Amino acid sequence: MARAQRLLQLREALQKALQRTVPAASAGSQALDFGDWRALVQAEAALSRALPALAREGEWSAAERQALAELRQAHEVARTRCEQALATLGTQLHEMGLQKEGWLAYAGMSATLQST
């Protein structure tokens, strides 16, 4: 039963970390907030260290298989969230690239105005 409990702990850690990746709503702020992904990286690292050791303990009981299935489901949610965040970031970077020429012109004009 200890192995099932450890799997549940890993799932809970993954879910809590995933909650921290949700961007904070900052009213009136133009700053981009992508959430805090460090906890998810740490939970993923703990998972990758723990699973091989847990697997070496032998056959999985029904409770352990259920806990492992729940952990897999939480991991799939985390993987999907990562893919969504990557797509969002890619879109934002693309949009910034489209505006680059305008930003450079503005910066050049500002420098010219400041030097006069």
Side-chain angles (χ1 to χ4, degrees), residues 22-35:
V22 176
S26 48
S29 174
Q30 297 268 340
L32 297 176
D33 180 5
F34 294 104

Side-chain angles (χ1 to χ4, degrees), residues 2-87:
R3 188 162 57 168
Q5 185 62 31
R6 180 66 180 132
L7 291 168
L8 292 174
Q9 289 171 346
L10 289 166
R11 186 198 70 198
E12 288 173 11
L14 189 61
Q15 288 173 327
K16 285 180 184 178
L18 194 56
Q19 290 173 351
R20 294 180 64 180
T21 65
V22 176
S26 48
S29 174
Q30 297 268 340
L32 297 176
D33 180 5
F34 294 104
D36 181 6
W37 291 83
R38 288 175 290 203
L40 187 59
V41 169
Q42 292 170 349
E44 183 72 23
L47 183 60
S48 67
R49 286 188 307 269
L51 279 180
L54 291 171
R56 285 190 296 268
E57 291 181 18
E59 280 296 311
W60 298 92
S61 70
E64 291 167 342
R65 284 193 302 274
Q66 177 63 34
L68 186 59
E70 292 171 9
L71 178 58
R72 277 189 186 120
Q73 186 176 21
H75 190 267
E76 180 62 22
V77 170
R79 188 191 62 75
T80 300
R81 176 81 50 84
C82 289
E83 287 177 353
Q84 290 169 343
L86 183 60

Side-chain angles (χ1 to χ4, degrees), residues 96-112:
M96 289 172 68
L98 294 175
Q99 298 172 8
K100 180 181 175 183
E101 194 172 307
W103 289 348
L104 292 173
Y106 176 78
M109 191 170 56
S110 293
T112 301

